[in-house]
Amino acid sequence: MPTKVLSIVGPTGVGKSNLALWLARQYKDLGRVIEIISMDSALVYKGMDIGTAKPSKAEQAEVAHHLIDVLDPSQNYSAAQFASDAKELISDIKQRGNIPLIVGGTMLYWRAWVYGFSNLPAANPEVRAQLDREAAEIGWPAMHAKLAILDPASAKRLQPNDSQRVQRALEVFALTGRPLSDLFEETPSLAGRKQEPTPDWVEVISLEPFDRKTLHTRLEQRFDQMLESKFIEEVEQLLNRGDLHTNLPAIRSVGYRQVWEYLAGDIDFETMKEKAYAATRQLSKRQMTWLRAMDRRVFDPFDTKQMDLAQKQCLALLQ
């Protein structure tokens, strides 16, 4: 049983799940069992399979996956909840004599798991409901303008239509009377700048393309494949439920929000595709920003020799 917990990270669309499944199959041949803990903010939601590139039912049957299909899209899931769930799962997996493997690209979840959120308040349903009511009246751009007065640093790094993060920043200010940016400065591991060294109980394998253009091309191709795999029909089922809306974290997921806007008649098909391409590129850029501030072992997922080295490194770390 390895003493350290291995995590496979990287931006969206680089093959993290494929590497994890390869490892699990290698260890199965050796009589050992790997259980995968998904670190993805969208995979937790039921009924969101195509647009999240969720592991297939066959893959999930072959290798145990955790934190997939655990919530309805109407519900919220936080970094703090992931940290708690991951720690409990790791303990349970080790007690079974198996090997836990953290896999995903939601880097805020990773930092919450590794470093914690000791100085950030928990989500407050009443405050969030009040902010939602206010946003319904004046709109999220106006809420962003309000944040610019209360917490200029946070407002500068957030887009006016990023309702989830704008809401969280306003919520933290309402609960603490202090800007979220100040609390981030007090927790270097969450600031996205100077990071604490990775603790000695965790190892990080990061799949990061050396050629960003290649990644962007592949992300566009992957989205086109999703459309061919009836992604629009998947989003249409969510829209037709009648109880979901674009302020929910699930529906704000990359791809889902753009297809939702298309189905609602707000944009045409080609605009939807271009907006989805752009949103996916922006997501990968944010993920790379987080990753560059981490201690990790980096491999290019689009280079065969590099991936051979990544596989060997993973096997060595799990000995």
Side-chain angles (χ1 to χ4, degrees), residues 74-86:
S74 63
Q75 298 175 291
N76 293 326
Y77 192 73
S78 68
Q81 185 62 55
F82 172 82
S84 175
D85 289 344

Side-chain angles (χ1 to χ4, degrees), residues 61 111 133 149 185 187 203 205 214 226 246:
R111 297 194 177 284
R133 288 193 293 269
I149 298 172
E185 291 291 348
T187 310
E203 291 282 0
I205 295 293
T214 300
M226 290 176 178
T246 54

Side-chain angles (χ1 to χ4, degrees), residues 43 84 118 128 147 171 191 210-211 259 302:
L43 292 187
S84 175
S118 59
R128 290 195 170 189
L147 179 64
E171 177 190 33
F210 296 170
D211 182 355
V259 174
F302 303 144

Side-chain angles (χ1 to χ4, degrees), residues 133-151:
R133 288 193 293 269
E134 186 175 355
E137 294 179 1
I138 67 175
W140 283 107
M143 298 292 281
H144 182 269
K146 178 179 177 179
L147 179 64
I149 298 172
L150 301 174
D151 184 356

